[in-house]
Amino acid sequence: MSTLLNLPARAVLPRRSRLGAVLRRGLWWGVLSLTGGVERRGRLPHGGCVVVANHSSHADTAALLAALDARHSPAIGAAADYWFASPWRRRICRRLASGFPVRRGGGGMEDLLTMAGELRAGRAVVLFPEGTRAKDGALGSFHRGALVLAEEAGVPVVPVGIAGTDRLLPKHGRLRSSLVRVTIGEPLPSAVSPEEARDAVVALHARTVAEPLKDSATRRRIAAVVTSRWGVPLAFCWAFAEALSWPLMPELLLGAVCVAVPRAALKMSLGALAGSLAGGLLALHLASAGVHPPAPLTTDRMRAEVRHELALEGASAVRHQPWNGIPFKVYGAEAGRADVPALDWLAASAVARGSRTLTVGLAFAGFGLLLRRHRRQYGRYLVLLGGGFAAGLALIVHGWG
């Protein structure tokens, strides 16, 4: 009992350390949410522990900092010859990853053993026992350092499998969108052998990679269309038709497709913008020639307001369209009746419609990335999206009635 009383309070770390861990976890959770999301299975045990994980990407550190409990204030063992080789790398590693240096060319065991007191105080020390990033996804042999540290501190070894980081940020590759999944295994005794620890990590990694992502059949069908050769033409035709007569805004289409396939958001938004501009230009020419296509869900008050704006501002009056709820086709038709020059109209429309269409498309893409782990709920999302657009359209028409 006297020995236990002499130990530092378990799992009670300095407030500054815990606050830093909370901020780091929030930072990396936010970053990974924008790049595809992060999921965690399992939890760390109470008290200190040595976490051993597979290592294939620099993003593994971000994944663990986002997934591990902040109450353990995780500290990451980092290669001294790389992350502490220059002042700016050292600052980045310490502040953003709570990293501590581990020499790879001799003296590394001494560096590790300096963390024994932190482990006894309840901290989690994260180590990549392979010593470097794997090149082909296959785990290399584990060094003994992590296990010696756990035995010295009297804490368990916790295996962790990480999947998705090799696609998110490949070794010597560029950043891409990918869901990252972290699976925390059952604690192993500190006397575990390197081979047993490696086998546990291999099994967790394989299970995490093989676990199927829950998805919506509706989302998969929409994604198949969006990524086919028909995706951009569909966005163009929808927006083109809306600029003439079709009552449903292209933003409704973008709300569906950009959440389904976030990586296609830019090209779909540009397709919709091109369709809007082409349709608006045709609407102007038709109106100037006395041809008036049907314009459902528009009102006389809308047309009167647009005529007033055009009389005061000319083609630049279209800048009000993204904010006042009046359909773009009303502006195109009234611009034709007012004999607004086609080139002036096209330039002003490109700015007004471009700002709205691209902003909406990219915002929905960001939302889609945040909800990537909930893809199975895509059908319900479509129902809510359709209901929200219908309610908004009804309010706009009523307000301009």
Side-chain angles (χ1 to χ4, degrees), residues 347-392:
S349 297
V351 174
R353 293 298 293 169
S355 61
R356 171 167 160 168
T357 303
L358 294 176
T359 299
V360 168
L362 295 178
F364 274 119
F367 186 64
L369 289 173
L370 290 173
L371 295 184
R372 190 165 183 169
R373 74 180 75 174
H374 303 296
R375 281 179 165 181
R376 63 185 181 279
Q377 305 295 340
Y378 180 78
R380 295 180 183 178
Y381 163 74
L382 283 185
V383 172
L384 292 175
L385 177 70
F389 264 87

Side-chain angles (χ1 to χ4, degrees), residues 48-253:
C49 60
V50 174
V51 174
V52 292
N54 59 292
H55 192 30
S56 59
S57 166
H58 283 317
D60 293 329
T61 296
L64 291 171
L65 288 170
L68 299 181
D69 298 311
R71 62 187 172 88
H72 286 88
S73 190
I76 310 291
D81 59 328
Y82 182 83
W83 287 108
F84 290 82
S86 65
W88 69 270
R89 281 187 182 176
R90 181 168 60 249
R91 285 193 290 270
I92 290 174
C93 187
R94 288 193 185 278
R95 294 175 183 175
L96 299 186
S98 189
F100 65 93
V102 179
R103 287 169 286 180
R104 292 190 286 190
M109 185 60 69
E110 297 175 14
D111 299 331
L112 291 176
L113 292 178
T114 61
M115 300 300 293
E118 301 280 341
L119 285 166
R120 296 189 189 105
R123 197 166 194 181
V125 172
V126 178
L127 298 170
F128 300 109
E130 296 168 88
T132 186
R133 290 170 292 165
K135 295 181 179 179
D136 55 3
L139 270 70
S141 59
F142 276 19
H143 300 294
R144 292 190 57 83
L147 312 180
V148 173
L149 173 61
E151 192 166 10
E152 173 69 21
V155 298
V157 175
V158 179
V160 171
I162 308 171
T165 51
D166 54 344
R167 172 175 172 77
L168 175 67
L169 185 60
K171 189 173 183 179
H172 306 308
R174 60 184 181 84
L175 183 67
R176 295 181 291 183
S177 174
S178 176
L179 174 66
V180 172
R181 291 182 287 175
V182 176
T183 303
I184 302 172
E186 294 296 324
L188 304 173
S190 57
V192 67
S193 70
E195 293 74 20
E196 290 170 326
R198 180 186 180 279
D199 290 344
V201 172
V202 168
L204 286 170
H205 177 252
R207 190 177 84 191
T208 306
V209 170
E211 183 181 355
L213 292 175
K214 296 179 179 179
D215 204 347
S216 161
T218 302
R219 192 210 68 82
R220 289 197 300 270
R221 294 189 188 100
I222 289 178
V225 175
V226 171
T227 55
S228 73
R229 61 179 179 175
W230 303 108
V232 173
L234 171 64
F236 179 93
C237 292
W238 184 303
F240 182 87
E242 191 271 341
L244 292 175
S245 179
W246 179 244
L248 300 181
M249 296 179 289
E251 288 78 6
L252 175 59
L253 175 68

